[in-house]
Each structure stands twice: as C-alpha cells, then as structure tokens.
Amino acid sequence: MIPNKKIERFNKVTKEVFEVFFTEKTIRDIAKNYFKKGYQTQINLQHTNTFIDAYVFSSFIVDRKKGFNPPNTFKNAVDGTWIVGVQLDKNAPESKTVFEAIKKEIFTGFSIEGYFVDQLTKNFNADYTDYLHALNELEKELDLILLENNIKI
C-alpha cells in the first residue's frame, strides 16, 4: 500500500467513478489491525470465496528515519508504504496455477478487502441482497479472467 496514492474505483450500481487513498497513519493502522485479527493466512483470489494456501511471512512499513528502507526492487517506495512478502504453499494443488497467473501479471498486487468489508457493514446499513449480488458478480468476473487466460484451479 502506497500512502496518498489515488486509486480509481467504480460503483457498478450507481455507475460512479471515484478515487480512494490511504494516509500513512491509515496504512499503519490497517497493518496493525491486519495482524491483530490474524489475517495472515486469509488470502483469496480477486475478492471471492476462493481461498488459496498462502501466508504473509514478512511485513514492514518503509520509514527511512527509523532504518526501515525498501529493498532494491522497491527503492523508490515512499515512506509509509506497506510492503509484504507472501509464500504460496508449494504442496497446494492451486499454487502452480496461481503462480503462473502472477508471472503472467494477471494478479499484480493485493487488496485488504476483508478489513473494509467489515467496516462497511458496520458503518452502513447495506442491503444484504445487494451484497450477495456484488459477490456473485465478482465471482463471475474471476471465472472470466481465469477462462480468458486458460488458468485452471
């Protein structure tokens, strides 16, 4: 996660395009909550109920003043950027397929959707039917991505 980087989002219901961003403090709070809640092994594909056997094995927030410098691959990362390392379970049947999708740059990053879904359902009186519909649409999109890229899970 990169602080203050605007991320474009699209609301399928209202057809609105909007931007979100996270401050350094928000990213730090998210990272703390992530580990406090034990989400290190809760990794799914494209916001679906398809979980993979993987886990976060390293995590840090870039803070050059404190000596937390980014690795060379991310040498231009700004302070406040949250960097994680994730390991796929090599014995899991889907690991090879997921790794191929990563190499083909079909999967290029991570989302912390679980945290925000919890917050949204607490903060907004969302209609459960709309939630199920959105979840169903996401699963269809993932199926299409996997089909188009000839990836089997």
Side-chain angles (χ1 to χ4, degrees):
M1 293 184 76
I2 303 169
N4 305 312
K5 179 179 180 178
K6 292 183 179 175
I7 305 165
E8 192 173 276
R9 292 288 181 249
F10 177 73
N11 183 320
K12 289 182 180 182
V13 176
T14 65
K15 308 296 186 211
E16 280 183 279
V17 175
F18 60 97
E19 293 179 330
V20 298
F21 71 93
F22 304 99
T23 64
E24 286 185 48
K25 181 187 180 321
T26 300
I27 290 172
R28 185 171 296 282
D29 290 345
I30 290 167
K32 287 178 184 178
N33 188 63
Y34 179 82
F35 285 100
K36 181 179 180 182
K37 299 283 185 174
Y39 292 142
Q40 303 89 299
T41 61
Q42 301 297 309
I43 300 173
N44 65 42
L45 294 177
Q46 302 294 94
H47 302 275
T48 67
N49 287 328
T50 303
F51 284 83
I52 60 172
D53 288 320
Y55 57 92
V56 174
F57 69 88
S58 69
S59 167
F60 71 96
I61 295 174
V62 175
D63 187 337
R64 288 173 178 83
K65 287 182 183 176
K66 292 182 180 176
F68 295 106
N69 298 309
N72 288 339
T73 306
F74 303 103
K75 66 183 172 190
N76 295 326
V78 298
D79 280 8
T81 299
W82 183 20
I83 298 173
V84 297
V86 175
Q87 176 66 52
L88 290 167
D89 181 340
K90 294 175 185 170
N91 297 320
E94 77 277 1
S95 290
K96 184 176 180 183
T97 306
V98 171
F99 189 63
E100 288 302 316
I102 292 167
K103 289 193 311 189
K104 291 180 181 179
E105 297 184 355
I106 295 164
F107 301 135
T108 58
F110 295 94
S111 173
I112 51 169
E113 55 100 12
Y115 176 79
F116 293 103
V117 168
D118 287 348
Q119 295 305 310
L120 285 171
T121 55
K122 288 176 187 171
N123 296 330
F124 298 103
N125 196 5
D127 180 37
Y128 189 68
T129 305
D130 289 343
Y131 170 76
L132 289 177
H133 177 72
L135 184 61
N136 189 36
E137 291 300 311
L138 286 169
E139 288 175 345
K140 286 179 186 175
E141 285 182 34
L142 177 61
D143 288 343
L144 183 61
I145 289 169
L146 295 174
L147 182 65
E148 287 173 352
N149 292 283
N150 196 27
I151 297 174
K152 296 181 178 29
I153 295 184

